[in-house]
């Protein structure tokens, strides 16, 4: 296909490079080669199927944020087979809300928000690799906050509207029809196992482990664009999330760990909370006992004194939509 690049010699370079080509170099049509024809892309606001649907969504986003830049902060990756790979790609998005679209009439506001995209790819002769399965979390709560709105009010408006902003069913864990070619659970890296075990214990009530396993000077990046440091904010964050869904089932659905020369040991988790919104905490409000599915992703970096940087993403807008669902 015209325009397709085969210059990438390593898989993480491919992930970073095609992101720049597609978004910042406006090579949206290159998705026809870089993505498989029937790829499923799952995010908290729904499932998009097929590269043509992905192209339409990409064009709509560029219309609303025409100067969007995607700064690749990290790619945590591994092989899943002789000719297949998996990556968890963390991105900082910088954009101006200069076009009208999903977030309403253009405001001209400058935005910064994170995205984590988990991609499975297979070897392809024409492109080097081709992505055939994807999971994606955008910090839409951060976008709404920077537009001087409140996520729970925006969610209520979405639930009550009948326009295209609310035309897709929210992702609630997937069905057989949402399944893609990759069904793995990650690798067996010690750092990945450690982080997954730590999260399992914390979500099971083991908050004491924050002070045992986190660096005292840890940097924390949380949903809605929040940056904080130290034990206290880490403890408060996980307690507040768990308290909102005290009986929900926490599951680590995928884990990766990686140790590379010159870089700290890192881990990437894709996880979920599934159950009723039956408590107060991070999501305190109306709509108690609504069934909720939280699609979460986390990256962690470890140093000599424990977990020193953690990036946690989930879409608070999609969560509020489920809690405030119109019946």
């Amino acid at each position: 296909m015209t325009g397709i690049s085969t210059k990438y010699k390593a898989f993480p370079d491919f992930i970073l490079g095609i992101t720049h080509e597609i978004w910042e170099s406006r090579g949206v049509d290159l998705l026809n080669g870089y993505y498989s024809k029937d790829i499923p892309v799952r995010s908290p606001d729904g499932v998009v199927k097929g590269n043509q649907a992905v192209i339409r969504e990409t064009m709509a986003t560029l219309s609303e944020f025409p100067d969007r830049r995607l700064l690749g902060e990290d790619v945590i990756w591994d092989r899943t087979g002789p000719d297949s790979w998996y990556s968890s790609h963390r991105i900082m998005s910088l954009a101006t809300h200069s076009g009208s679209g999903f977030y309403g009439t253009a405001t001209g506001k400058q935005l910064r928000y994170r995205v984590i995209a988990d991609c499975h790819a297979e070897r392809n002769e024409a492109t080097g690799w081709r992505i055939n399965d994807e999971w994606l979390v955008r910090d839409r709560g951060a976008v709404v906050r920077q537009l001087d709105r409140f996520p729970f009010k925006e969610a209520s408006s979405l639930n009550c509207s009948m326009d295209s902003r609310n035309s897709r069913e929210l992702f609630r864990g997937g069905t057989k029809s949402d399944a893609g070619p990759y069904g793995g659970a990650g690798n067996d890296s010690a750092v990945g196992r450690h982080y997954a075990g730590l999260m399992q214990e914390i979500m099971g009530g083991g908050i004491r482990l924050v002070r045992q396993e986190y660096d005292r000077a840890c940097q924390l990046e949380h949903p809605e664009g929040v940056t904080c440091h130290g034990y206290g904010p880490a403890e408060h964050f996980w307690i507040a999330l768990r308290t909102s869904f005290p009986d929900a089932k926490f599951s680590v659905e995928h884990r990766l760990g990686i140790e590379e020369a010159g870089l700290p040991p890192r881990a990437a988790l894709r996880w979920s909370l599934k159950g009723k919104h039956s408590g107060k905490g991070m999501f305190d409000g109306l709509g108690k006992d609504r069934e909720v599915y939280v699609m979460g992703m986390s990256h962690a970096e470890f140093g000599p004194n424990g977990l020193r940087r953690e990036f946690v993403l989930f879409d608070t807008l999609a969560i509020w939509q489920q809690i405030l669902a119109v019946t």
Side-chain angles (χ1 to χ4, degrees):
M1 177 182 171
T2 302
I4 285 290
S5 173
T6 56
K7 65 184 177 183
Y8 304 114
K9 303 303 180 185
F11 182 58
D13 297 333
F14 170 78
I15 293 295
L16 291 167
I18 69 167
T19 301
H20 185 275
E21 283 188 68
I22 292 164
W23 288 95
E24 296 182 50
S25 297
R26 300 296 187 265
V28 181
D29 63 316
L30 301 181
L31 283 162
N32 286 307
Y34 289 141
Y35 275 36
S36 66
K37 183 178 180 180
D38 54 355
I39 182 173
V41 179
R42 309 158 197 81
S43 60
D45 60 321
V47 182
V48 175
K49 296 183 180 180
N51 59 11
Q52 295 308 302
V54 175
I55 288 172
R56 290 193 296 271
E57 296 255 330
T58 303
M59 293 290 283
T61 302
L62 283 172
S63 176
E64 194 164 10
F65 305 105
D67 66 345
R68 187 184 179 201
R69 288 181 291 153
L70 287 79
L71 307 181
E73 293 183 324
D74 199 7
V75 179
I76 298 172
W77 66 283
D78 200 0
R79 285 179 176 268
T80 61
D83 291 303
S84 59
W85 292 257
Y86 192 100
S87 70
S88 189
H89 179 199
R90 191 178 75 248
I91 301 161
M92 173 61 77
S93 284
L94 306 176
T96 307
H97 185 224
S98 53
S100 299
F102 178 85
Y103 295 100
T105 304
T107 62
K109 290 187 177 293
Q110 302 289 320
L111 306 175
R112 60 186 296 275
Y113 61 97
R114 279 195 170 84
V115 179
I116 296 180
D118 278 20
C119 295
H120 181 261
E122 293 185 332
R123 177 73 72 189
N124 180 267
E125 291 185 6
T127 62
W129 293 268
R130 179 170 288 162
I131 296 170
N132 60 9
D133 227 342
E134 184 169 356
W135 295 258
L136 177 74
V137 175
R138 307 176 188 89
D139 191 357
R140 297 194 303 164
V143 175
V144 170
R145 290 282 186 185
Q146 290 169 86
L147 294 176
D148 297 328
R149 305 174 197 160
F150 297 100
F152 75 93
K153 289 187 176 180
E154 190 77 0
S156 180
S157 175
L158 282 169
N159 283 356
C160 293
S161 70
M162 298 299 291
D163 60 20
S164 60
R165 297 206 311 155
N166 194 31
S167 61
R168 197 163 60 216
E169 184 178 350
L170 296 173
F171 184 72
R172 294 178 178 270
T175 63
K176 288 184 178 180
S177 64
D178 299 328
Y182 178 69
N187 66 15
D188 198 39
S189 161
V191 65
R193 291 200 313 272
H194 176 69
Y195 188 40
L198 176 59
M199 288 299 96
Q200 289 277 14
E201 290 201 55
I202 288 175
M203 296 305 284
I207 302 300
R208 58 185 171 74
L209 291 175
V210 169
R211 294 177 186 252
Q212 295 176 19
E213 299 291 344
Y214 282 58
D215 191 310
R216 183 171 177 269
C218 59
Q219 175 186 337
L220 310 166
E221 301 291 338
H222 290 159
E224 298 190 1
V226 173
T227 300
C228 45
H229 299 82
Y231 295 147
E235 292 170 341
H236 175 72
F237 174 79
W238 291 117
I239 289 172
L241 176 62
R242 198 49 163 142
T243 303
S244 290
F245 312 103
D247 302 314
K249 180 182 178 182
F250 175 77
S251 301
V252 174
E253 299 183 354
H254 196 273
R255 74 181 187 213
L256 279 182
I258 189 169
E259 297 184 61
E260 298 176 295
L263 293 169
R266 286 120 61 221
L269 301 182
R270 175 162 47 84
W271 51 268
S272 66
L273 270 173
K274 187 173 184 178
K276 288 187 176 182
H277 173 240
S278 56
K280 295 185 177 181
M282 189 178 295
F283 296 92
D284 183 23
L286 302 175
K288 301 298 185 184
D289 292 327
R290 296 286 168 79
E291 288 289 335
V292 172
Y293 183 87
V294 178
M295 179 179 177
M297 292 186 178
S298 304
H299 282 191
E301 297 179 4
F302 294 86
N305 298 314
L307 192 160
R308 64 181 184 182
R309 289 213 300 168
E310 185 176 44
F311 305 82
V312 181
L313 277 190
F314 46 75
D315 184 345
T316 58
L317 188 58
I319 295 170
W320 277 117
Q321 279 187 263
Q322 294 173 76
I323 293 171
L324 302 173
V326 177
T327 58

